[in-house]
């Protein structure tokens, strides 16, 4: 499978959503809604759950399982209220000393006029500042797409997993083609030049661990052994992070990018 086929695979309706993964990994997940300012954004789901016996806060981007759901969820492209809701969850996690697990799956934050009017940039920046200052471990999982600041707002973490078919980038492949080539070249022509997929990201030191998938990608429900192994890995990762000076670890994690 080449990169272009890979890109189409992770964008297909058969691909599990953030909500699917949350349901599989956290059967007791309790969703909390609203940003306490404007409204509810279904593109991001938030709540509390347990990972084995460990209480955790879960924040996940959710595209939807079919065309109707994707329209309702704006294809996983959150408005400012989605990021404000996420930030509210991060602050609650700090208050109650719950580790944070985020699941990323978006082509980017919604760039429409209404989002800009309601403070899209500042809501993303505020998420980043809040995550930077948490004293609890933060673990991120790139499920399918991790595009631009919309993904970064939830991916400022102490440890990053990435499904083997997923990508994480400062811009979507379409945005890259449009800006550099003014649409003269298609995504299929330029995607092989982009080091944005899981293996590339591990080599760059951005991703800490790849979650291997079958050649035709993951499907729901996850195999019980596969799901348990992922739960156990997350649990062990958080336990390990909890033994560290987490703010110092986070600082060094991001400082090392500038030293390469």
């Amino acid at each position: 499978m080449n990169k272009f086929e890979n890109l189409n695979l992770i964008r297909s309706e058969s691909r599990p959503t953030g909500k699917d993964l949350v349901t599989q990994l956290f059967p007791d997940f309790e969703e909390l809604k609203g940003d306490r300012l404007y409204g509810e954004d279904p593109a991001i789901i938030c709540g509390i759950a347990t990972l084995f016996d460990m209480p955790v806060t879960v924040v996940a981007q959710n595209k939807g399982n079919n065309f109707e759901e994707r329209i309702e969820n704006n294809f996983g492209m959150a408005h400012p209220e989605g990021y404000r809701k996420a930030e509210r969850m991060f602050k609650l996690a700090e208050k109650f000393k719950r580790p944070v697990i985020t699941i990323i799956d978006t082509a980017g934050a919604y760039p429409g006029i209404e989002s800009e009017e309601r403070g899209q940039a500042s809501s993303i920046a505020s998420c980043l500042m809040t995550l930077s200052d948490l004293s609890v471990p933060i673990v991120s999982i790139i499920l399918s797409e991790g595009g631009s600041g919309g993904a970064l707002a939830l991916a400022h973490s102490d440890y990053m997993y990435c499904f083997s078919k997923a990508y994480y980038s400062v811009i979507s492949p379409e945005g890259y083609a449009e800006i550099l080539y003014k649409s003269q070249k298609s995504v299929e022509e330029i995607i092989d030049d982009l080091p944005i997929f899981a293996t590339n990201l591990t080599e760059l030191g951005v991703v800490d661990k790849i979650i291997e998938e079958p050649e035709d990608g993951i499907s729901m429900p996850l195999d019980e052994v596969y799901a348990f192994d992922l739960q156990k890995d997350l649990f062990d990762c958080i336990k390990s992070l909890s033994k560290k000076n987490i703010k110092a670890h986070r600082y060094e994690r991001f400082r090392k990018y500038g030293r390469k």
Side-chain angles (χ1 to χ4, degrees), residues 112-176:
I113 293 174
E114 61 270 39
S115 283
E116 297 304 323
E117 289 174 339
R118 297 201 295 270
Q120 185 72 290
S122 62
S123 67
I124 291 173
S126 191
C127 267
L128 290 170
M129 288 192 294
T130 299
L131 286 172
S132 296
D133 202 40
L134 294 189
S135 61
V136 296
I138 309 162
V139 177
S140 295
I141 303 171
I142 309 295
L143 172 58
S144 296
E145 293 192 88
S148 194
L152 182 61
L154 304 188
H156 190 75
S157 58
D158 306 308
Y159 196 92
M160 183 177 286
Y161 290 88
C162 186
F163 277 86
S164 59
K165 303 291 184 183
Y167 83 80
Y168 181 50
S169 172
V170 297
I171 194 169
S172 68
E174 287 82 2
Y176 172 86

Side-chain angles (χ1 to χ4, degrees), residues 224-241:
E224 287 186 11
V225 174
Y226 188 97
F228 178 80
D229 287 347
L230 181 51
Q231 289 171 320
K232 184 68 165 57
D233 209 314
L234 284 169
F235 182 82
D236 291 343
C237 176
I238 291 171
K239 282 290 188 183
S240 176
L241 288 170

Side-chain angles (χ1 to χ4, degrees), residues 12 75 77 83 134 213 235:
S12 70
F75 294 83
M77 296 185 292
Y83 294 107
L134 294 189
E213 302 181 49
F235 182 82

Side-chain angles (χ1 to χ4, degrees), residues 1-9 165 187-188 191-192 197 215:
M1 181 180 294
N2 62 38
K3 287 186 177 181
F4 185 67
E5 293 170 332
N6 193 141
L7 184 65
N8 288 331
L9 171 69
K165 303 291 184 183
V187 172
E188 188 171 5
I191 196 166
D192 286 335
F197 288 92
E215 178 59 26

Side-chain angles (χ1 to χ4, degrees), residues 3 7 10 51-52 75 93 95 98 104 108 132 167 173 241-242:
K3 287 186 177 181
L7 184 65
I10 62 175
L51 182 61
F52 298 120
F75 294 83
K95 179 178 181 179
R98 291 191 296 257
I104 289 86
S132 296
Y167 83 80
L241 288 170
S242 297

